[in-house]
């Protein structure tokens, strides 16, 4: 059985006032959710949000981590530190980290390894750029990104973690693939997982990310192999995020 997961990726946005207002609005009607809801704020706000989500079914996620346990890594945050604050999910390999902070496949694989060894779940982001899409390389790119993690880690260790298919050209642009096209890629990802382990393929939640919003969330999540969303912009508006959480 796979859970439906709605994860909000706040990126480098928000402040304390924003968070206070956000949760006031989100929790106003004491909502209950059938999906698993995750919010991934910037590191400094993890504790602030942990306090607010203490008694409700919203899980805490982080946007990145370092693969090392401790030591001389100025500015970095270890998985043990995140776990200490009640973090359950860590986004790894987001295209912004890959493109802007030079995270390559090996680094991504090591980070996923660190996350699962700390008993948290990784949200492994994969997806093609516009150029790769235009060159017909979408499936090849995704296969490489997934192979590099599963070959490094082994399929069993990845069990329980999550994949987010995020076409880079869809992130923050308002442009998305059709739900049918996204479903085709999700189904391809599930087949890739099945090559490693049939149970892993059946049980791994595969989220769609990239301009998901209140107007298209239902169409995406209604597809057989789309098990939820990793949502950037629309997760920063409490009313929109709530509507998407409630739509599943
Ligand atoms: P977006 O971002 O929903 O704003 O496109 C998604 C993401 O980058 O995870």
């Amino acid at each position: 059985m796979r859970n439906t997961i709605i994860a909000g990726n706040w990126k480098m946005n928000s402040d304390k006032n924003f968070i206070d207002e956000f949760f006031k609005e989100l929790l106003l009607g004491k909502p209950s959710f059938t999906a698993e809801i995750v919010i991934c704020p910037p590191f400094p706000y993890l504790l602030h949000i942990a306090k607010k989500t203490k008694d409700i079914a919203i899980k805490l996620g982080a946007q990145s981590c370092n693969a090392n346990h401790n030591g001389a890594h100025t500015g970095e945050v270890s998985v043990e530190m995140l776990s200490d604050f009640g973090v359950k999910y860590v986004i790894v390999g987001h295209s912004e980290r890959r493109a802007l902070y030079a995270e390559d496949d090996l680094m991504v694989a090591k980070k996923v390894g660190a996350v699962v060894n700390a008993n948290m779940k990784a949200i492994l982001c994969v997806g093609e750029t516009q150029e790769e899409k235009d060159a017909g390389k979408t499936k090849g790119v995704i296969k490489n990104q997934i192979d590099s993690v599963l070959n490094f880690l082994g399929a069993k260790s990845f069990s329980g973690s999550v994949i987010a298919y995020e076409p880079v050209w869809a992130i923050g642009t308002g442009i998305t693939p059709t739900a049918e096209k996204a479903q085709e890629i999700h189904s391809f990802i599930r087949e890739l997982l099945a090559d490693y382990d049939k149970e892993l393929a059946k049980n791994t939640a595969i989220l769609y990310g990239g301009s998901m919003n209140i107007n298209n969330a239902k169409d995406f999540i209604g597809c057989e192999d789309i098990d939820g969303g990793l949502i950037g912009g629309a997760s920063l508006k409490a009313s929109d995020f709530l509507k998407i959480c409630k739509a599943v």
Side-chain angles (χ1 to χ4, degrees):
M1 258 301 275
R2 313 193 282 270
N3 283 348
T4 302
I5 301 169
I6 302 293
N9 174 12
W10 282 7
K11 309 191 181 184
M12 202 168 72
N13 297 298
S14 78
D15 58 32
K16 260 177 138 178
N17 282 338
F18 169 88
I19 293 166
D20 291 345
E21 289 303 315
F22 182 93
F23 279 95
K24 208 190 282 173
E25 194 174 341
L26 189 77
L27 304 177
L28 193 63
K30 297 196 169 45
S32 62
F33 305 108
T34 47
E36 205 177 325
I37 312 299
V38 184
I39 290 184
C40 308
F43 292 135
Y45 299 114
L46 284 169
L47 183 57
H48 194 53
I49 295 189
K51 286 181 187 152
K52 291 187 182 291
T53 54
K54 192 160 51 66
D55 301 319
I56 46 170
I58 292 181
K59 293 185 175 148
L60 205 54
Q63 297 174 18
S64 186
C65 65
N66 191 285
N68 296 285
H69 297 292
N70 52 34
H73 297 281
T74 302
E76 292 295 293
V77 174
S78 75
V79 289
E80 288 81 4
M81 293 167 187
L82 297 174
S83 178
D84 231 7
F85 279 90
V87 167
K88 301 288 182 228
Y89 285 90
V90 184
I91 299 172
V92 182
H94 191 282
S95 60
E96 288 152 17
R97 303 279 332 161
R98 292 180 192 260
L100 302 175
Y101 299 97
E103 293 196 4
D104 61 13
D105 285 337
L106 179 61
M107 194 188 291
V108 170
K110 286 181 178 170
K111 287 186 176 199
V112 173
V115 169
V116 302
N117 285 333
N119 292 319
M120 296 183 290
K121 297 175 179 187
I123 301 177
L124 169 64
C125 299
V126 300
E128 80 286 6
T129 62
Q130 182 71 55
E131 292 70 34
E132 289 162 343
K133 175 175 179 270
D134 294 346
K137 292 181 177 164
T138 297
K139 289 183 177 172
V141 166
I142 292 170
K143 180 171 164 38
N144 281 342
Q145 290 171 332
I146 290 179
D147 282 346
S148 61
V149 171
L150 291 187
N151 288 333
F152 179 84
L153 208 64
K156 286 237 158 359
S157 300
F158 193 74
S159 161
S161 281
V162 173
I163 291 179
Y165 169 53
E166 297 207 310
V168 180
W169 49 271
I171 294 176
T173 59
I175 302 165
T176 66
T178 61
E180 291 70 29
K181 187 66 200 171
Q183 161 59 27
E184 182 195 322
I185 302 297
H186 280 235
S187 157
F188 168 73
I189 292 172
R190 210 174 293 291
E191 280 165 25
L192 285 178
L193 296 178
D195 289 341
Y196 287 87
D197 182 327
K198 295 224 161 16
E199 284 300 301
L200 182 74
K202 211 165 73 191
N203 296 329
T204 300
I206 307 175
L207 315 184
Y208 170 77
S211 296
M212 189 183 263
N213 58 38
I214 47 171
N215 299 318
N216 60 26
K218 249 190 169 154
D219 288 344
F220 283 117
I221 297 168
C223 295
E224 191 182 339
D225 289 297
I226 302 184
D227 306 307
L230 179 57
I231 302 165
S235 73
L236 286 162
K237 225 177 138 200
S239 57
D240 284 8
F241 190 60
L242 187 61
K243 275 191 197 130
I244 296 172
C245 294
K246 291 245 165 206
V248 295

